[in-house]
Every structure is written in structure tokens, then in C-alpha cells.
Amino acid sequence: MSVFSSGEEEEEEEEEEIVNPTEVKMSQIVMPCHSNHRQELSVGQLLKWIDSTACLSAERHAACPCVTASMDDIHFEHTISVGQVVNIKAKVNRAFNTSLEVGIQVSCEDLFSDRHWRVCHAYATFVTQRSNTGEKVTLKAILPQSQKEQVEYSLAAERRRVRMVHDDIIKDLLSNGSIQQADSSTVDDAMAAERTRVESVELVLPPHTNHQVNTFGGQIMAWMVNVATIAASRLCQAHPTLRTIDMFTFRGPSQIGDRLLLRAIVNNAFKNSIEVGVRAEAYQEEGPNRHINSAFMIFEVLDNHGKLCTLPRIRPEPLEGERRFQEAIARKKIRLDRKYIISCKQTEVPLSVPWDPRNQVYLSYNNVSALKMLAARKKWRLSSEKDKVHLYTLEQKLVLSFRVEAEVDVPAHRAFCLLAELSNRPSWDTHYQKCELIHRVDADDFLYRVVTPSVHHGGVGSPTSAKEGEGILQDFILLASKRRPCGSGDPYVIALRSVSLPTHPPTEEYNRGEVLCAGFTILETKNNIYYNQASPEVLPYISNDIAGLSSSFYHTFCSCSQYLTRNRLTLGRSLQTSILV
């Protein structure tokens, strides 16, 4: 994962090492008993170690027993061989009311060559168990110790938003017809999916439980990987490599004496990958089965040269099999959309990505996280200061970013409401000649078309159209994502980024401009707020003269400040209506 992905930055920045009180480290040397037939560490064993380390970190902060609630998507970048060392580091990013997010980094170390490389990273959610009196345990807040931890703390709230709608996204996409249905009966020589079905029962014994006498979450995940691998092997008739796991969600506990029924089947096979669905149920000698966990695992097959093999197709059984077949296509599209969104380089053209309902959740998350991470970078340089308005610049390879910072005597929540209403920006920002609302996605996300003044030849800008020159206006299609603070230390955020819409293609009358990241972060400081606006490209209407740049930003900020002050106490009827909408 590259630019502005979850928990990662485009480039590493040096930061003074601060010991996090919740940090837990585990190092394990890979022995033959931990490996598969290829003498590589089995993913099931790795998941056990990951879950153990994350649980210890969660309980260090909570000071009470915690159980795994979910494990976010995991992409395994490299395999680990026998004799190498696995280093796992986990620490709590944020504590909510009764749950907390733990970030996990997994790396590999070769003892003989002194090489280190990253294997994967993950985010796990843990929940506290009730006290002996049956009361819920309320967690104390996390206090970030560094700028990097502050960013992770803030982004944890965004990841939580994505988790809460994770299960509904596929249903919405299929019910709304956003995914083109594939014909599963067109391949004559396809293997029947029923031939890949695996069913296995495990008896939960004391060695399979954790210190709370519940079935160890890592053990359940390892058993699920086992049956999924068998199902994938039956299709490809080879030894597959587990590349990605979609979110694990634990739906209920399991104890000693439970029988765990594990079912796996290939949902769909693509050219170079296989999706296997896995379901775990627990039952006693008497009583109904209890759904414990479900997951989707993506396998690949490599030849002797490490190249991807072409895989046989699958023919699903009617009804339920057909449903799983179509849902697997939807999940693949979401994975590809998400990968494209987070891997778009700032120097690539076009910067914008297509907007549609299936990628909205991830575009919104990336929009907000990109602005937060850009604002948190350490190498901002003060370029000018006038009347306590500070202009900072940040140079990164071919990209120049700007940040304007000042204090305004306006309550933070009021400034947020005023600035979030982008349709009113032309009234105070001369660079916005027109701003029209295209679509209200939901309460926090909106699509706008913005028209800005003409681009002068030789100015600093990167419009995608070749028609640069006097008198040609420029337009942008922007996704605006706004967020209120989820806790102390969180800023109000209004994030903007370019997207493309088939209903609003580029036209001859306008140069189509693009911006990857821009917006406002607003922080309460006593009775004032900070104003920040940051963009990773030089906006096309700004001169390349830094003095002219300073003047332009200064006058724009003064106009913004006056606008906020005028509307400090009351909002006009039209403003209030727009905000409620």
C-alpha cells in the first residue's frame, strides 16, 4: 500500500523514539513445526502470534481481560522461511468506550544477512469483558505521545466508520445494480464448486484456549485458514499461497468442550486468484449451532519461477452458490477500487479517480486520512508571516504543498459549519467563481463542481487539458468529506479531492483541473481555532512567486476570517438549510 494508505505514509520521516506504554513486542524464530510443505511459516501460525501480541497490548491498556472482536483486511507481502525471525509489534492506537483498536506491524529478519523487510500490517479491534458484577468496563482515553501516534489516533475513528458499514457494502452494491452480473454458466470445462467444499470438526481442548478459558481467537483463525487452503487446493490441484484475508469478525465466544464446525468452499476463481469463503460454527452435544466467525480468503498459485499461474474456472451451484459467485465479483471490484485509490501517486495524471457508490466509503476514508497525514508531516517550513497569519511550505520530490495557519476568534464548531458549506465559498474566496452542489452522497460527503479563474500561461499549475491560456476558466469536480471530532485532540476536518464523474466530463469551455488533497483542519485552542489549508499540488490559479503566493494566501485568509466573524453567532436561512440538508 502506498500513498496515504491506512497507517502508512508516502515516505518515512525521522521521529524521536518515544516508548508507548501499550507497546508489546514479540520475536519468534520459525521452526519446522511452524512451517508448511514449502518450509515457509504457515499463515495460521502467524495469525496466532499476531492475535496474542495484539491481545497483550490491548489488556495492558485496559487493565482487564479483552477478547478479539475483529481483524481488518490483511495483505501478506512476503513469505517467511524456516530459520528466519518474525518480529511483531503491537500498540493501542485509540480506545473508544468499551472497544479499542490495536495496530500491528509484522516484519521478518534474516539472522545471517542482517536483512529486515515488512511482511504485513493489520488493525485488530478488541472489546473488554464485563466485570465480575456484570458491568461494562469503560476504557480510559489514549494520550498520543508523538505526532505519528496522534495521526493514528485520529485515523482510528475513520477506520471505525468503515468497519461499521463493512457488512452492508456488498448488499447495497448488488441490490442497487452497481455491479455488473457475470454469467457463471459460460465456461463448459469449469469445475463444480461443490467439489471444493471442505467440512472439518475440531474439539476445543485446554491447549486451544486463552488465559480467559475462551477458545483462542488466533486458533480459530488458524483452523479457518487450514480448511480454506484445502478448498483452494482442490480447485487448482496445486499448493496455493494465501495472499489476502478480508475482515475476520468474531460474532460470539467459544469455550472448552465446544465442537467447532469449519466449512469452506471456493466462491469464485478469477484469472490469477481464488476467493474461498469460510464459516465457523460452534455447538455442544445438545443445542443449535452458533455462528462464530466468517471470512473470505484470497489465494494465488505461483510457478517455479515465482510467476502467477492461470487458474481453472468455477461453476457454482444454483441459488446460494450463485449468490456467493456474484458477491465475490463485487468484493474483488472493491479491492481493486481501494487499491487504485490509495496507490494513486501525486505526480501521476490523472490524479482523480472515478466516483461511484461502490468505492465511496474508501474514497471518503482516503480523502480525510490524506489531509490528516499531510498536515502531520514534520518538514513544514515557515515561508512568511504577516499579522499572525503563517504560510508554511513542504517540498516532497516533485510536489510542493502549502499550509496557512492562524487563529480566529470564532468557536470551532461554528467555523466548521460555515466552512463545510462549500456552496458559500465564492462569497469570500475570489478563486472560487462558482461552486455548485452536484450530489449529496450522505450527511458527511458531497460532490461539487467548482469553477476558478482562467489559467495564465507560464503559471504554476497542472491542468490536464492542453488548452491553457488567457480567458479559459478552469473547473474541478471535488469530493468534500467533513468530519466532526470523535474525541479530545481530534480536529474538525473538511477534506477535498478531485474525482471524475461520467455525468460531468471535461468540456471545451473549461480546463479540467485536479487536486489530490486540500481542505481545512480546525482545532479548538482555548477560545480560538487554527485555520489550516493544505494542498499537495500548487493550485493552478496561484503565481509561482513566493511573495505573490504569500500575498494571495494572506488576502484569502483575511476574507475568510471576515466571513467567519460576520456569521459567528447566527447563520442565514439559506446557510442553515444547506447545512441541515
Side-chain angles (χ1 to χ4, degrees):
M1 305 177 94
S2 50
V3 179
F4 297 131
S5 60
S6 307
E8 293 183 80
E9 299 183 24
E10 183 183 17
E11 58 187 41
E12 293 295 327
E13 298 184 22
E14 293 183 4
E15 185 170 308
E16 183 180 351
E17 188 70 23
I18 299 175
V19 178
N20 186 302
T22 70
E23 185 174 282
V24 173
K25 295 180 180 180
M26 175 186 288
S27 293
Q28 297 279 357
I29 189 165
V30 180
M31 305 298 289
C33 61
H34 304 139
S35 67
N36 56 25
H37 62 284
R38 291 191 296 263
Q39 296 299 295
E40 295 170 349
L41 174 64
S42 70
V43 174
Q45 181 61 59
L46 178 58
L47 289 172
K48 290 182 185 179
W49 289 337
I50 288 175
D51 193 45
S52 294
T53 311
C55 182
L56 292 173
S57 175
E59 293 186 342
R60 177 172 286 184
H61 176 74
C64 69
C66 295
V67 294
T68 312
S70 67
M71 186 83 71
D72 287 4
D73 300 358
I74 306 176
H75 179 73
F76 300 98
E77 301 176 21
H78 299 282
T79 57
I80 305 171
S81 301
V82 170
Q84 293 176 334
V85 173
V86 179
N87 295 310
I88 304 173
K89 181 169 67 175
K91 61 182 177 181
V92 176
N93 291 329
R94 183 161 187 161
F96 299 96
N97 190 25
T98 58
S99 66
L100 37 78
E101 180 194 272
V102 180
I104 307 115
Q105 297 286 343
V106 181
S107 62
C108 183
E109 175 185 357
D110 190 300
L111 296 173
F112 302 103
S113 63
D114 196 30
R115 289 191 306 116
H116 298 257
W117 59 92
R118 191 177 69 171
V119 175
C120 67
H121 75 273
Y123 297 98
T125 301
F126 285 81
V127 294
T128 57
Q129 289 197 319
R130 293 179 180 270
S131 64
N132 294 332
T133 60
E135 297 179 356
K136 290 185 177 180
V137 177
T138 302
L139 294 167
K140 61 183 179 181
I142 284 286
L143 299 177
Q145 302 295 313
S146 66
Q147 187 65 56
K148 187 175 181 180
E149 289 184 4
Q150 180 64 54
V151 172
E152 284 293 344
Y153 174 88
S154 188
L155 293 182
E158 281 300 301
R159 288 188 287 267
R160 189 175 188 230
R161 287 170 60 96
V162 175
R163 283 183 207 110
M164 294 177 74
V165 299
H166 184 271
D167 292 338
D168 298 327
I169 294 175
I170 302 295
K171 296 177 183 177
D172 291 343
L173 291 179
L174 294 173
S175 63
N176 295 332
S178 300
I179 300 297
Q180 183 177 359
Q181 300 293 297
D183 187 353
S184 60
S185 61
T186 56
V187 183
D188 296 332
D189 59 348
M191 177 184 289
E194 192 63 29
R195 291 178 56 187
T196 70
R197 185 181 296 276
V198 179
E199 186 172 301
S200 179
V201 177
E202 299 283 354
L203 176 62
V204 180
L205 301 172
H208 303 141
T209 61
N210 56 25
H211 53 296
Q212 302 157 33
V213 202
N214 288 323
T215 310
F216 177 38
Q219 179 63 69
I220 296 175
M221 290 189 280
W223 282 334
M224 294 174 73
V225 169
N226 178 59
V227 293
T229 304
I230 296 172
S233 300
R234 286 180 176 173
L235 174 66
C236 63
Q237 297 182 341
H239 296 296
T241 298
L242 179 56
R243 188 61 64 196
T244 302
I245 301 177
D246 274 11
M247 180 184 290
F248 280 108
T249 301
F250 288 89
R251 303 172 185 271
S254 171
Q255 294 84 28
I256 293 177
D258 276 346
R259 281 73 169 170
L260 255 60
L261 177 61
L262 302 142
R263 293 191 177 103
I265 191 170
V266 173
N267 291 332
N268 206 332
F270 306 98
K271 181 180 179 181
N272 301 121
S273 64
I274 304 167
E275 182 191 279
V276 179
V278 193
R279 179 184 175 98
E281 299 176 351
Y283 65 93
Q284 294 281 349
E285 292 182 359
E286 297 180 355
N289 290 10
R290 310 186 312 273
H291 187 187
I292 298 298
N293 203 333
S294 290
F296 302 99
M297 305 186 188
I298 313 304
F299 291 85
E300 297 173 348
V301 178
L302 305 177
D303 62 19
N304 295 332
H305 304 288
K307 303 295 184 181
L308 291 173
C309 296
T310 301
L311 301 170
R313 301 304 302 273
I314 198 80
R315 186 175 65 254
E317 67 269 26
L319 300 178
E320 278 299 299
E322 185 67 30
R323 176 187 62 80
R324 293 194 299 267
F325 184 89
Q326 300 296 345
E327 289 181 354
I329 296 173
R331 279 187 290 272
K332 183 183 180 184
K333 287 185 177 294
I334 288 175
R335 284 192 295 271
L336 292 175
D337 287 340
R338 185 170 50 192
K339 182 178 180 180
Y340 178 67
I341 290 167
I342 64 177
S343 63
C344 180
K345 303 290 192 231
Q346 293 174 329
T347 53
E348 290 176 347
V349 175
L351 297 175
S352 58
V353 297
W355 181 91
D356 63 43
R358 73 168 179 256
N359 67 7
Q360 163 56 27
V361 171
Y362 305 105
L363 264 176
S364 179
Y365 166 74
N366 183 257
N367 194 17
V368 174
S369 62
L371 183 62
K372 288 182 177 181
M373 296 181 76
L374 178 62
R377 293 197 181 276
K378 306 293 285 185
K379 297 180 181 179
W380 288 100
R381 181 176 63 85
L382 180 63
S383 295
S384 67
E385 178 182 357
K386 183 177 181 181
D387 297 335
K388 296 184 179 181
V389 178
H390 304 82
L391 172 64
Y392 297 87
T393 59
L394 173 66
E395 294 186 46
Q396 299 169 278
K397 298 179 181 178
L398 301 178
V399 177
L400 180 62
S401 305
F402 300 96
R403 189 178 89 209
V404 179
E405 184 175 293
E407 293 190 9
V408 184
D409 187 18
V410 178
H413 70 278
R414 178 66 71 189
F416 171 73
C417 291
L418 292 168
L419 295 175
E421 184 49 64
L422 213 61
S423 297
N424 291 297
R425 187 158 176 173
S427 67
W428 60 267
D429 189 347
T430 58
H431 301 115
Y432 273 54
Q433 288 195 357
K434 183 180 179 181
C435 182
E436 59 177 311
L437 177 64
I438 298 174
H439 177 53
R440 179 186 184 275
V441 181
D442 53 36
D444 295 321
D445 295 279
F446 305 82
L447 293 168
Y448 290 93
R449 177 176 176 264
V450 175
V451 178
T452 68
S454 59
V455 180
H456 296 280
H457 185 70
V460 182
S462 55
T464 57
S465 171
K467 294 180 173 294
E468 296 187 43
E470 295 281 351
I472 301 178
L473 297 178
Q474 184 162 235
D475 68 345
F476 297 80
I477 305 300
L478 298 179
L479 170 66
S481 304
K482 62 179 185 179
R483 298 289 188 272
R484 295 179 181 273
C486 291
S488 176
D490 270 349
Y492 291 86
V493 174
I494 305 162
L496 308 171
R497 69 158 296 157
S498 288
V499 295
S500 60
L501 290 173
T503 57
H504 290 73
T507 63
E508 294 292 327
E509 292 79 12
Y510 297 91
N511 282 320
R512 177 54 54 86
E514 294 184 305
V515 59
L516 182 61
C517 174
F520 302 88
T521 62
I522 305 168
L523 283 168
E524 196 86 48
T525 79
K526 299 181 181 177
N527 294 322
N528 300 323
I529 65 165
Y530 282 118
Y531 163 89
N532 300 271
Q533 185 176 17
S535 171
E537 66 171 14
V538 182
L539 297 181
Y541 50 74
I542 294 175
S543 166
N544 59 358
D545 178 4
I546 195 69
L549 183 68
S550 302
S551 176
S552 174
F553 273 131
Y554 174 73
H555 290 300
T556 300
F557 172 75
C558 290
S559 179
C560 176
S561 178
Q562 293 169 7
Y563 165 73
L564 294 175
T565 303
R566 284 196 310 269
N567 296 277
R568 185 179 191 276
L569 299 178
T570 58
L571 296 173
R573 184 183 299 273
S574 60
L575 258 176
Q576 187 175 12
T577 302
S578 297
I579 290 170
L580 290 175
V581 169

